[in-house]
Amino acid sequence: MSKKKVVNEINYIRAFACLSIVFIHAVTVAINSVAISGELRSWMQTFQVALMFATPLFILISEFLLAYAYPKQVPKNFFAKRIHYILLPTSA
């Protein structure tokens, strides 16, 4: 059985998406906690909205990795196991 090649580009995209999420939260805190008004507030909100691509990007990364890991079909009971893992996590 051959080992799959790691797709390093996905790690760069993931890092970029993580930084974007951090900036979204930082801008949100800045807008809500500092007395900013007028044009600067509008620019900050525009920057905040421009970074909103990061959340759907995580979905795209997840779909890519699943498609890469299972190119022909997913294993039996894949979705049931995934839902169980998400809804009923076990403690280690």
Side-chain angles (χ1 to χ4, degrees):
M1 189 168 172
S2 66
K3 189 174 181 181
K4 288 195 177 217
K5 182 180 175 262
V6 175
V7 182
N8 289 322
E9 291 81 3
I10 287 296
N11 291 327
Y12 298 130
I13 295 170
R14 184 183 297 159
F16 185 62
C18 287
L19 289 174
S20 297
I21 295 291
V22 169
F23 285 133
I24 288 171
H25 291 290
V27 170
T28 301
V29 169
I31 290 172
N32 292 333
S33 64
V34 179
I36 299 172
S37 62
E39 191 174 332
L40 179 59
R41 183 178 185 92
S42 295
W43 279 105
M44 290 179 76
Q45 287 173 332
T46 302
F47 181 63
Q48 182 183 28
V49 170
L51 293 172
M52 294 289 182
F53 72 90
T55 305
L57 187 58
F58 280 113
I59 296 170
L60 178 79
I61 291 169
S62 297
E63 291 299 318
F64 175 84
L65 292 174
L66 283 173
Y68 189 73
Y70 308 112
K72 299 203 186 306
Q73 74 180 59
V74 293
K76 187 177 179 182
N77 294 326
F78 174 79
F79 291 108
K81 289 178 186 177
R82 194 60 72 143
I83 290 170
H84 183 268
Y85 180 77
I86 292 170
L87 295 179
L88 301 169
T90 58
S91 60

